Amino acid sequence: SVAEVTTGLKSPDKAVSDAVMKWIDKGIPSGFIDKGGHTWSIERYADTVMTSTTYRVYNEMRTSAADKLGVDTFLMSSHAASRPACAPIQGHIVTKQVDGFNSHDKDVGYVASIYDHGYGEPGGTLGINCHHTLTPFIIGVNRLPDVDIPEPKQAIANGEKQASQRSFERGIREAKYKLEAATQLGDDKLIQRYQSLLSNRRLGLRKLIDNNDFLHRDYSREKIYKNKKLVDIYKLNMQSKTKK
């Protein structure tokens, strides 16, 4: 699926959708718990793998030729929302050397090592779900682009708000599955409860996006799949609670 995205055969959304449907058809469980005790849905897992692997492929393509030519300095892209590991160095020149160094260039300044910012770790620079890219940059030859780089504290705060958006999106998907289960059971009280839950979560998401112009509504993250196994699990849970 990643190969189809990187070669332009499919959009990321289409690739994720197709992968999830194949897994569901093969009877893969609706979710699992990782070593840290976090519950993952197969939709979230597919999106994470697709995003992380695609960006890793892009960056390897960008940096492999530079490595062969002995270029180890790169311009790191910048975004309004960033994880703490990336916020201080995004938009600046970084190096793949183990240690940073002074460039002696007034515009470039100190060149930080990505290893000092968690490179190679899941939550570090270019880790899981990181959307940053590296572009080869030769100090003294290339020029820095004239762009506004968010202050690290603001970028981190924006990243936390973006994480809240992802939480709302997961909550919306969960409410939709529960509503589908309640509808199949024909329980009017449960239907009303989960319709209200879905409406409240949608409202919360709209308020969050309206108050933060760097956030954008992505309806593909709110859609659910015809996952009969997951709906059946919710139905059994609902029936069990009703009997009690």
Side-chain angles (χ1 to χ4, degrees):
S1 295
V2 170
E4 289 175 326
V5 172
T6 55
T7 54
L9 294 176
K10 286 184 181 178
S11 68
D13 290 343
K14 176 63 175 172
V16 169
S17 177
D18 288 350
V20 169
M21 291 309 300
K22 286 179 181 178
W23 293 348
I24 290 173
D25 290 341
K26 289 182 179 180
I28 291 178
S30 58
F32 62 91
I33 299 175
D34 65 19
K35 291 187 294 185
H38 306 99
T39 300
W40 289 69
S41 67
I42 56 175
E43 295 98 326
R44 181 186 173 201
Y45 178 75
D47 183 64
T48 296
V49 171
M50 186 68 62
T51 299
S52 303
T53 310
T54 299
Y55 273 90
R56 186 169 70 246
V57 171
Y58 284 155
N59 280 313
E60 286 178 356
M61 292 172 62
R62 286 169 174 263
T63 60
S64 59
D67 291 341
K68 293 177 182 177
L69 294 172
V71 176
D72 56 26
T73 46
F74 303 87
L75 172 62
M76 185 172 174
S77 61
S78 64
H79 311 294
S82 176
R83 65 183 63 187
C86 299
I89 57 174
Q90 67 167 353
H92 298 286
I93 305 304
V94 297
T95 180
K96 291 181 72 176
Q97 294 182 25
V98 176
D99 298 314
F101 61 89
N102 191 329
S103 69
H104 301 293
D105 183 299
K106 65 177 182 178
D107 294 324
V108 174
Y110 181 77
V111 178
S113 169
I114 55 177
Y115 288 97
D116 290 335
H117 294 267
Y119 179 63
E121 300 173 7
T125 295
L126 306 180
I128 293 176
N129 276 331
C130 181
H131 288 210
H132 284 103
T133 57
L134 299 179
T135 301
F137 187 96
I138 301 175
I139 298 172
V141 176
N142 300 121
R143 283 188 170 188
L144 286 169
D146 186 16
V147 295
D148 292 328
I149 303 171
E151 289 293 326
K153 287 185 178 180
Q154 186 61 54
I156 293 171
N158 290 347
E160 292 172 352
K161 291 176 182 178
Q162 191 175 68
S164 296
Q165 179 182 0
R166 298 291 176 263
S167 179
F168 272 119
E169 291 163 349
R170 290 193 295 272
I172 288 171
R173 292 197 301 269
E174 180 190 43
K176 285 182 176 180
Y177 277 121
K178 288 183 176 180
L179 179 58
E180 175 64 22
T183 301
Q184 290 186 19
L185 289 172
D187 189 316
D188 291 338
K189 288 185 178 180
L190 286 176
I191 291 172
Q192 185 175 3
R193 177 193 300 176
Y194 292 118
Q195 281 179 334
S196 177
L197 178 64
L198 179 58
S199 296
N200 288 336
R201 288 178 176 173
R202 281 173 168 165
L203 177 61
L205 177 58
R206 283 199 298 271
K207 286 182 177 179
L208 178 67
I209 292 175
D210 289 344
N211 292 330
N212 298 279
D213 57 7
F214 67 93
L215 296 177
H216 305 282
R217 189 84 178 258
D218 185 350
Y219 289 97
S220 67
R221 290 182 171 274
E222 301 171 34
K223 72 177 182 179
I224 62 173
Y225 300 85
K226 294 180 179 179
N227 192 338
K228 183 178 182 300
K229 186 168 185 177
L230 181 56
V231 172
D232 287 343
I233 291 172
Y234 282 127
K235 284 165 65 176
L236 287 173
N237 288 340
M238 291 175 186
Q239 289 172 327
S240 177
K241 290 179 181 180
T242 299
K243 289 178 181 179
K244 289 180 181 180

